[in-house]
Amino acid sequence: MEALRRAGRQLNRKKFISAIESIRNYDLGIDNPLSFGADDHQGLDRVYFTMIRDGGFELITDWHKVAAFQAKQKGERSGDNHETAFK
């Protein structure tokens, strides 16, 4: 979203690439800031497993909670009694 905001209303490929490349030390609320450059289109050097919850990023640290949440969404029972993990 930040790149789109920086590119402006008259969006085209060149403006979008320039906008992305202008992002430096952008705080995503995780340990490492996001940075791009003309020779760096990767953004982050680490992988963070996250999910969007309540309009923001939430770092996933417990995969049992994720499995329970997915099972709850599908109307199934996980069997581990983690159904309330994300309430």
Side-chain angles (χ1 to χ4, degrees):
M1 296 301 293
E2 179 63 18
L4 291 172
R5 185 188 67 76
R6 291 180 186 210
R9 291 187 175 272
Q10 302 299 321
L11 182 63
N12 61 41
R13 184 177 189 274
K14 184 177 178 179
K15 286 182 180 182
F16 185 68
I17 291 171
S18 293
I20 288 176
E21 291 176 348
S22 74
I23 296 174
R24 303 274 193 283
N25 298 314
Y26 187 78
D27 184 10
L28 293 171
I30 57 176
D31 289 337
N32 293 352
L34 182 68
S35 291
F36 292 96
D39 295 322
D40 181 9
H41 291 165
Q42 185 168 315
L44 294 172
D45 294 326
R46 292 177 157 177
V47 174
Y48 295 91
F49 292 97
T50 58
M51 60 189 296
I52 298 174
R53 183 170 174 214
D54 298 328
F57 293 105
E58 182 174 318
L59 186 62
I60 297 172
T61 58
D62 185 343
W63 288 99
H64 287 99
K65 288 181 180 180
V66 173
F69 179 73
Q70 289 175 334
K72 182 179 177 185
Q73 294 296 335
K74 292 179 183 177
E76 303 170 0
R77 294 201 177 268
S78 70
D80 291 333
N81 201 20
H82 290 289
E83 286 84 9
T84 60
F86 285 102
K87 282 190 176 180

